[in-house]
Amino acid sequence: MRLLSILILSLTCLLKPAYGPDTDTPANRICGKWESSEKNLVVEVYPYKNTFRAKMIRFTGGVSKAQPMESITDKKNPDPALRNRKVLGMDVVENLVYNPKSDSWENGRIYEIQSGKTWSAAAYLENENTLKVKGYWKVKLLGKTMTFHRL
């Protein structure tokens, strides 16, 4: 009987992706791929140390609609040394920390490619398939909220 339990546990561990989030914890419900409601941006939210980040995996918001997303660079970055880096694969949200009391992710930073500006960020799940991300400056009430849908 003990051998059967060990075998089942071993198979369960093998079948669970090693890189995937532990969705059993409330904080990790934010992890996964999300598409903006405008359908011009897809990000992948992933855990990083004790925080969460989001990297850009698809972006069609360049100056020219004909410009391939692989060639879009961070040309508005305030640091001239970073203006030639590709935006595809870049972290655009960092340092989100889960707050169990409010069931939200707070104290993060969001980078806006179009302007080169970094804002404070917070996020919450409206439901399991709808993510709201707010970028703001000093006061949450004065920010802009983006809606994402789980892919």
Side-chain angles (χ1 to χ4, degrees):
M1 184 64 147
R2 181 165 164 77
L3 181 59
L4 181 59
S5 297
I6 291 171
L7 180 60
I8 290 172
L9 180 62
S10 298
L11 284 174
T12 303
C13 291
L14 287 173
L15 294 175
K16 183 178 179 182
Y19 57 87
D22 181 1
T23 55
D24 294 339
T25 64
N28 284 337
R29 292 175 298 138
I30 196 173
C31 294
K33 293 180 182 174
W34 299 90
E35 181 177 44
S36 67
S37 57
E38 295 84 13
K39 300 195 180 296
N40 64 345
L41 172 65
V42 176
V43 296
E44 183 172 6
V45 178
Y46 64 97
Y48 180 78
K49 298 185 180 178
N50 292 324
T51 67
F52 293 88
R53 291 182 171 190
K55 67 180 173 180
M56 188 179 307
I57 59 174
R58 187 172 61 101
F59 178 65
T60 56
V63 176
S64 166
K65 296 288 182 195
Q67 184 179 13
M69 69 179 163
E70 296 83 10
S71 68
I72 299 171
T73 59
D74 191 13
K75 62 185 170 189
K76 298 278 185 157
N77 195 298
D79 181 349
L82 297 177
R83 291 183 184 157
N84 288 324
R85 71 178 173 171
K86 305 283 187 206
V87 298
L88 198 61
M90 188 170 83
D91 284 326
V92 289
V93 176
E94 295 178 327
N95 301 326
L96 283 175
V97 177
Y98 180 67
N99 180 340
K101 289 182 181 176
S102 63
D103 193 27
S104 64
W105 293 260
E106 302 173 356
N107 302 318
R109 308 286 290 158
I110 187 167
Y111 179 70
E112 184 181 30
I113 302 282
Q114 294 88 342
S115 69
K117 294 182 180 176
T118 300
W119 308 92
S120 295
Y124 69 93
L125 289 173
E126 186 172 80
N127 59 54
E128 289 304 311
N129 293 311
T130 306
L131 174 66
K132 300 282 188 163
V133 179
K134 184 168 215 158
Y136 60 95
W137 186 67
K138 295 193 181 189
V139 180
K140 282 186 190 177
L141 295 173
L142 302 176
K144 179 183 175 186
T145 301
M146 292 180 65
T147 301
F148 291 84
H149 303 281
R150 192 181 295 275
L151 292 178

